[in-house]
Amino acid sequence: MTDVLLPSETATNADRLVSSTRPGRGQLRMAAAVSAVLLLAFVSTVPFAGIPLPGTEAFLPAYAAAVMVSDLVTAALLVSMFVAGGSLGLLLLSICYLFAGVTAIPWALTFPGVFAPSGLLGAGLQTTAYIAAIRRLAFPLFVIAYALFKDRCVAGGHARSVVWSVALTTAAVIALTSLIIASDNAMPKLMLDERSVTSLWSYVSEAGTLAHILAIIVLWRRFRSTLDLWLLIVLGTMLLEFVMLTYISGGRLSLGWWAGRVYGLAAATLVMLILLLETSVLHSRLIRSVSIEKRARDARLLTMEALSASIAHEVNQPISSMVTNANACIRWLDRESPELERARSTLGRIVADGHRVGAIIEGIRAMFREERGPRESVDINRLIQDAVRDLGLEARLNGVDISLTLDPALPRVNANVIQLRQVIDNLVANAIEAMDGKGECVVRISTAGHPDEVTVLVEDTGIGIPEDVDRLFDPFVTTKMGGLGMGLMICRSIVEAHGGQLSVHNNVPKGAVFRFSLPTYHLSDSRDGESVR
């Protein structure tokens, strides 16, 4: 969900997993840097590999705990990826790391001289070596299985597959450990004593080396993801460990042997760190995606609220006019001698107001849909006169005089008639309502023509405007008791949509002046079928 993730970017769970995305340049550079550091450390260790380090057995529990935690955390992360994507290869790879993590426990407990002179659990001299051999041979075999089956999916029952995998793997480790301990004296000898290996160990090392090389070849041939890249690095690191332990080190607890253990720990932590890094990146993307969706939802709700408030605000004036005219019509008809002509004229205004309500609603809908709507050549003077005629009764009831100073040579403008009439009605109605009943109550409306634009001023002698002028045009901001705070926002939106500007400043000595300008009409602005108003 930018790096910012949109909903279309989070369509499926598997699309962003490291097991399905190809490594980018950053990942390739990081892999190359890690490989270079490991090779440099290997080369630097070779001259000192035979130095014995007696008494370092005390560090083995910490080493084994670190390996166990790294492998188990990696297994858990791979399980979560398997649940999201359902790949059989991911399940096998998670079993691989689970097996490696669990076997680190008996390996450390049976190591001679760590917890007991000959190890715990009734271990013999060969127990630790055989557990280590199984761990080393199992890893590349599991990686080969991952490479071969990573494109196959487990159909449903992912949680059950995970439970069975954990149970069977743990049971297998317990069974193997018990079998090795029970058969310690009967198995071929891998250790001469607690520090030295027999010649038979070289076969284990060669088999492990060949298994790792085969795993590298198979994975390289089926390479396609970031996870594959780092598994190749892990296999290469374990290959360095094999070479160091078998051909270069001076036996157990030598500097080379401990260097091999460091490579083993690096191999155990590499995939874990990459998965944790990718998980944190995915988590941050998810948070941003959710945040974007929330903002979009809030914006939709705000738009709906603004739309409903706008409709309520805009239709209030013509409906009020309809009610006033209807009452007047009733009075004309209730007289002893009904004044039918006046009643007919009043009913005509009611019909006109009814049509205007529908047009206003459609205009507001078009504005929120960001549609231009039909435009035509419009005489602003005529619109102002129509608005003043319709608002005249309201002005008289409020004791307000309306003064017109209209430029007779005013150029026409290219505008949507209904929307432009909304602007004029709003500004004039606001000016009438702004009067405080003290002193002169006059609304002055003037127009002026210029070469490229026309300007309209609506001045009143009312209460004036607050200090924070710009906020007047924000939605839901109003200075009127019971006002909705949508009128001026709608006015500015309409004027700006027509290429003009709407501004306000305080009048002298009191009141407010609203000024809006619109570009003049040119013949090129016309379209087929447009009328001239």
Side-chain angles (χ1 to χ4, degrees), residues 153-182:
C153 293
V154 177
H158 294 171
R160 183 173 56 193
S161 300
V162 171
V163 171
W164 276 105
S165 299
V166 172
L168 292 176
T169 302
T170 304
V173 172
I174 294 174
L176 283 173
T177 303
S178 300
L179 180 62
I180 291 172
I181 292 174

Side-chain angles (χ1 to χ4, degrees), residues 215-490:
I216 291 174
I217 294 173
V218 173
L219 188 58
W220 178 262
R221 291 176 63 87
R222 297 177 64 82
F223 173 83
R224 64 172 63 96
S225 69
T226 302
L227 180 59
D228 296 346
L229 170 66
W230 288 101
L231 283 175
L232 287 172
I233 304 298
V234 168
L235 290 170
T237 304
M238 296 185 73
L239 198 57
L240 292 178
E241 178 190 14
F242 266 91
V243 173
M244 179 63 72
L245 293 176
T246 304
Y247 303 108
I248 300 176
S249 73
R252 278 183 177 174
L253 304 182
S254 64
L255 181 61
W257 186 87
W258 274 111
R261 295 299 155 202
V262 172
Y263 298 141
L265 180 59
T269 57
L270 272 177
V271 173
M272 179 193 71
L273 293 176
I274 294 303
L275 291 179
L276 287 174
L277 176 62
E278 291 298 317
T279 299
S280 64
V281 171
L282 284 174
H283 184 66
S284 64
R285 287 174 176 171
L286 177 62
I287 291 175
R288 282 181 287 177
S289 177
V290 171
S291 177
I292 289 173
E293 291 181 356
K294 182 178 182 300
R295 289 198 298 269
R297 183 171 60 253
D298 292 343
R300 288 194 296 270
L301 292 175
L302 181 61
T303 300
M304 292 177 62
E305 184 178 357
L307 177 60
S308 60
S310 300
I311 293 175
H313 181 278
E314 294 303 309
V315 303
N316 182 61
Q317 191 277 325
I319 288 177
S320 298
S321 177
M322 291 169 68
V323 172
T324 302
N325 286 319
N327 288 329
C329 183
I330 292 173
R331 289 196 301 272
W332 302 135
L333 295 175
D334 282 345
R335 292 187 175 184
E336 292 182 3
S337 299
E339 299 188 27
L340 298 180
E341 286 301 320
R342 288 189 173 184
R344 185 178 293 107
S345 175
T346 304
L347 288 173
R349 288 196 293 271
I350 293 175
V351 172
D353 285 335
H355 288 304
R356 191 151 63 93
V357 168
I360 286 173
I361 293 174
E362 183 57 34
I364 293 174
R365 291 179 59 197
M367 183 178 64
F368 276 87
R369 291 196 303 264
E370 298 183 356
E371 295 178 357
R372 174 173 174 151
R375 297 189 182 184
E376 56 192 77
S377 174
V378 178
D379 181 357
I380 292 184
N381 286 343
R382 180 179 171 183
L383 282 187
I384 292 174
Q385 291 168 347
D386 292 343
V388 169
R389 184 187 67 247
D390 292 337
L391 293 170
L393 180 58
E394 181 180 348
R396 290 192 295 273
L397 292 175
N398 287 273
V400 176
D401 294 327
I402 299 180
S403 171
L404 296 180
T405 305
L406 305 180
D407 183 354
L410 189 71
R412 291 176 174 269
V413 297
N414 187 48
N416 181 291
V417 176
I418 300 299
Q419 292 180 353
L420 190 54
R421 175 64 187 272
Q422 283 178 254
V423 174
I424 297 171
D425 284 350
N426 267 308
L427 296 180
V428 175
N430 285 345
I432 294 172
E433 294 174 4
M435 301 300 177
D436 55 8
K438 299 177 182 179
E440 185 183 26
C441 295
V442 180
V443 174
R444 295 182 177 88
I445 305 173
S446 59
T447 60
H450 307 281
D452 295 321
E453 67 176 12
V454 298
T455 59
V456 178
L457 295 180
V458 179
E459 308 174 57
D460 64 67
T461 56
I463 59 175
I465 57 177
E467 294 182 2
D468 194 356
V469 175
D470 291 335
R471 292 202 66 230
L472 281 178
F473 298 99
D474 291 342
F476 309 112
V477 174
T478 181
T479 59
K480 297 185 294 186
M481 183 68 67
L484 294 174
M486 295 299 298
L488 292 178
M489 185 275 288
I490 294 172

Side-chain angles (χ1 to χ4, degrees), residues 504-519:
V504 61
H505 60 270
N506 277 308
N507 202 0
V508 178
K510 68 173 185 174
V513 178
F514 283 87
R515 178 188 184 276
F516 74 87
S517 61
L518 293 173

